[in-house]
Amino acid sequence: FLPITYLNSQLETMMNVPGAVLLAPSSSGKQYDMMYYLKGAAAGGICCSITHAALTPVDVVKTRVQLDPVKYNSGLIGGFRTVIAEEGAMALTTGLGATAAGYFVQGWFKFGGVEFFKIKSVESMGEEKAWENKTAIYLGSAAVAETIADLFLCPLEAVRIRSVSDPEFCDGLADGFGKMLKQEGVGGFYAGLAPILAKQVPYTMAKFAVQGAAADSIYSSMGKTPADLSGGMNVSVSLASGVIAGVAAAIISHPADTLLSKVNKAGAGGDGPMITRLSNIAKEVGFVNLCTVGLLPRCVMIGTLTAGQFGIFDTVMNTLGASKFHFHNPNAH
């Protein structure tokens, strides 16, 4: 119930602010103006923050499996038991603050950016050409939006992974930032930028492109368009297509996710430039292990997380009075 309670509190806060900007109708009269993009960004921040925060325990175990596969060698459930037995149940919430804050910022730029670049592409190309090239538009919009978002996410992700790999490292997000800055300087926050881009950009490209294609297939099989269905039915389509997209994206991005988990561990990969450190870690772990260690819990986590993100995004957009953009085939009858 935590994600639902959190979502309700966020929406109530926005509604109770006098003259809340996000709940105001567009002043320009256009359907897709700056107000629409702000609502999309806010919905993206909320959906990413909720889903990643709710799955923090799974992410803690997944990260431990990637960092120490010899110790955590009994699968997802066994990993939970080991962490709880050795450190207590609260250890499963390690990095919760950094996760919630980091992914709110990332979701703001990612979902808001995808909506912005997607709609601007359609306006530039025209509906017919955009319909024919919608997969390329999804891929390009997601790549640019995710790159921007990761510049803001990377420092928070570095603190989160350090706190998970070393529970004694810090006492909360602010303490972690202070210690990391003192010990490693600003560069320490961006030590994982290369692998986070290598993980997140293909992941987000696959997530949005596969979700879009899956949703279109579902609508096509029903003989309906999003405009023909209720808000609840459209959310159901988003949930179903989100599961498919999440599993595909998890498989594609998993090797880089393993590298990211390891490179933020103190001393990982030795000294020298980041590329050298990443290369050393890849050689030590081996390609097969990079692709498979921790993959099952990641598929469970990302499949659930992605479905939740798209479902919550649509719900928040509806609550804010925004009609989510969908590609339209102008030749459909």
Side-chain angles (χ1 to χ4, degrees):
F1 295 99
L2 176 62
I4 296 173
T5 304
Y6 178 77
L7 174 59
N8 287 336
S9 69
Q10 293 297 310
L11 294 177
E12 286 171 7
T13 299
M14 283 190 272
M15 290 178 185
N16 290 331
V17 175
V21 174
L22 289 175
L23 291 171
S26 171
S27 58
S28 69
K30 292 172 61 179
Q31 185 176 9
Y32 302 116
D33 58 1
M34 186 53 66
M35 183 59 63
Y36 173 85
Y37 300 127
L38 283 172
K39 291 177 179 181
I46 291 171
C47 77
C48 287
S49 182
I50 289 171
T51 51
H52 279 277
L55 287 169
T56 295
V58 178
D59 204 33
V60 168
V61 174
K62 175 189 70 68
T63 302
R64 295 288 179 87
V65 169
Q66 290 172 323
L67 293 174
D68 193 353
V70 175
K71 179 177 180 180
Y72 297 94
N73 62 358
S74 53
L76 182 62
I77 303 301
F80 271 101
R81 289 173 177 160
T82 301
V83 172
I84 292 171
E86 294 185 357
E87 304 171 43
M90 287 303 294
L92 295 173
T93 65
T94 303
L96 178 61
T99 297
Y103 282 97
F104 180 88
V105 174
Q106 192 223 28
W108 177 280
F109 287 101
K110 176 161 65 176
F111 277 82
V114 167
E115 290 298 303
F116 178 81
F117 293 119
K118 189 170 61 175
I119 292 170
K120 291 302 177 184
S121 296
V122 174
E123 291 176 352
S124 174
M125 300 168 68
E127 276 198 340
E128 185 169 355
K129 193 171 182 182
W131 175 260
E132 295 169 355
N133 295 279
K134 60 183 178 179
T135 299
I137 293 173
Y138 271 125
L139 293 172
S141 299
V144 176
E146 183 61 52
T147 299
I148 295 170
D150 287 345
L151 295 175
F152 294 90
L153 171 67
C154 195
L156 291 144
E157 185 72 349
V159 174
R160 182 194 71 79
I161 290 177
R162 178 62 63 84
S163 64
V164 170
S165 63
D166 180 7
E168 305 298 320
F169 173 69
C170 65
D171 211 6
L173 180 58
D175 182 46
F177 261 97
K179 286 185 176 178
M180 208 160 187
L181 181 63
K182 185 177 180 180
Q183 293 177 10
E184 302 180 31
V186 175
F189 294 117
Y190 288 94
L193 181 60
I196 205 173
L197 287 172
K199 178 188 83 166
Q200 289 292 138
V201 172
Y203 159 74
T204 300
M205 291 170 71
K207 179 168 82 171
F208 280 94
V210 173
Q211 191 272 337
D216 285 344
S217 297
I218 294 171
Y219 285 121
S220 178
S221 69
M222 298 167 67
K224 303 283 186 180
T225 68
D228 298 328
L229 301 176
S230 66
M233 280 300 296
N234 282 323
V235 170
S236 297
V237 172
S238 292
L239 289 170
S241 56
V243 172
I244 298 169
V247 172
I251 294 171
I252 289 170
S253 63
H254 189 66
D257 182 65
T258 303
L259 280 177
L260 177 64
S261 293
K262 289 184 176 296
V263 80
N264 278 304
K265 188 176 182 180
D271 298 321
M274 180 53 55
I275 297 298
T276 302
R277 291 179 60 199
L278 292 173
S279 177
N280 290 340
I281 293 170
K283 288 176 183 176
E284 291 169 10
V285 176
F287 180 74
V288 173
N289 286 335
L290 276 179
C291 294
T292 58
V293 172
L295 180 59
L296 179 59
R298 180 165 165 78
C299 283
V300 171
M301 185 182 83
I302 299 300
T304 306
L305 179 146
T306 305
Q309 283 181 358
F310 283 107
I312 294 170
F313 180 82
D314 283 9
T315 301
V316 175
M317 289 291 276
N318 290 338
T319 303
L320 295 176
S323 179
K324 182 182 173 183
F325 173 83
H326 291 277
F327 284 99
H328 171 67
N329 182 1
N331 299 317
H333 297 291

